């Protein structure tokens, strides 16, 4: 039997609903890979979650996270920026970028789990909760999902946010880099679709 709480199982079910929808669209989300047994389990967990209820979950999750992010900016980032950089004109781009990246990691790293916890509790119905039955291995799957999310957050906050700010601060011509990244993204999407189609053919 699974040792997960009903709330944790509900969050995993909503996550499974989104990931199985991506997979059914013959796409792969880089950084979020699962074994065949894990996919099978996620399909079982996703079954009680209807499309309308999942849409409600995404809306509520977005609203709660935006509120948390706004609170983090007002209560954490702005006070720290004022304290550390009392003279904005003398603030180096590197220090400002480091502060923003650290605050973004804090806000997203704490805010996203909180928003998912609250939105899953608000969006799931009593009937759906009754249809979710824990099994051995659910805790390991939930831990894997949590690690995958944290890994993406770390990459985004550690590289993307400071990188964008430094490009802006130093007025770097990023058009060649952006063009390269754009075509790389297109290639990754194409590969993702091709891999998904190949897996779908193998299963059929």
């Amino acid at each position: 039997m699974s040792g997960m709480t009903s709330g944790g199982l509900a969050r995993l079910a909503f996550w499974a609903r989104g990931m199985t929808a991506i997979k059914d669209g013959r796409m792969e989300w880089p950084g979020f890979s699962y074994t065949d047994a894990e996919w099978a389990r996620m399909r079982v967990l996703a079954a009680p979650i209807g499309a309308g209820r999942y849409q409600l979950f995404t809306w509520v999750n977005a609203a709660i996270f935006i509120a948390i992010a706004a609170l983090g900016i007002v209560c954490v980032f702005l006070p720290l920026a004022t304290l550390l950089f009392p003279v904005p004109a003398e603030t180096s781009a590197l220090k400002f970028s480091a502060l923003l990246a650290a605050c973004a990691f804090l806000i997203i790293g704490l805010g996203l789990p909180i928003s998912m916890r609250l939105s899953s509790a608000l969006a799931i119905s009593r009937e759906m909760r009754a249809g979710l039955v824990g099994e051995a291995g659910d805790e390991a799957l939930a831990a894997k999902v949590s690690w995958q999310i944290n890994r993406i957050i770390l990459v985004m906050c550690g590289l993307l946010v400071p990188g964008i700010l430094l490009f802006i601060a130093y007025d770097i011509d990023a058009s060649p880099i952006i063009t390269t990244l754009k075509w790389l993204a297109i290639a990754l999407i194409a590969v993702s679709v091709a891999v998904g189609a190949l897996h779908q053919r193998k299963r059929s």
Side-chain angles (χ1 to χ4, degrees):
M1 293 294 293
S2 170
M4 292 187 66
T5 63
S6 60
L9 199 60
R11 289 192 299 276
L12 186 58
F14 277 112
W15 177 264
R17 179 67 171 78
M19 294 305 296
T20 53
I22 293 173
K23 188 171 183 63
D24 289 341
R26 296 188 176 184
M27 297 182 64
E28 299 284 340
W29 195 353
F32 294 88
S33 60
Y34 303 97
T35 65
D36 290 341
E38 289 169 338
W39 278 119
R41 178 57 184 155
M42 286 202 292
R43 290 193 181 280
V44 173
L45 289 170
I49 310 297
R53 190 64 59 162
Y54 179 73
Q55 190 67 48
L56 175 63
F57 165 77
T58 59
W59 289 341
V60 174
N61 186 46
I64 294 175
F65 179 76
I66 290 172
I68 293 174
L71 189 65
I73 291 172
V74 173
C75 298
V76 179
F77 175 73
L78 291 180
L80 283 177
T82 302
L83 177 65
L84 297 174
F85 314 125
V87 183
E90 298 177 0
T91 302
S92 71
L94 181 60
K95 291 180 180 179
F96 183 82
S97 300
L99 175 62
L100 183 59
C103 288
F105 182 76
L106 178 66
I107 291 170
I108 301 175
L110 294 178
L112 187 57
I114 292 173
S115 67
M116 291 184 67
R117 181 183 295 269
L118 293 176
S119 57
S120 61
L122 292 171
I124 197 165
S125 66
R126 184 177 300 176
E127 293 78 11
M128 290 178 181
R129 192 182 294 273
L132 296 174
V133 179
E135 291 184 0
D138 287 347
E139 286 182 286
L141 179 57
K144 180 176 182 177
V145 170
S146 179
W147 158 242
Q148 290 172 334
I149 294 173
N150 290 335
R151 182 177 57 191
I152 294 298
I153 292 173
L154 181 62
V155 172
M156 181 176 67
C157 296
L159 298 177
L160 184 60
V161 173
I164 291 174
L165 285 177
L166 289 174
F167 272 102
I168 295 174
Y170 292 108
D171 195 23
I172 299 174
D173 181 13
S175 56
I177 298 175
I178 292 175
T179 300
T180 301
L181 290 176
K182 180 180 70 175
W183 285 108
L184 180 61
I186 293 173
L188 286 174
I189 292 173
V191 171
S192 174
V193 173
V195 170
L198 181 61
H199 288 174
Q200 187 74 16
R201 170 180 282 184
K202 287 181 178 179
R203 286 196 300 269
S204 59

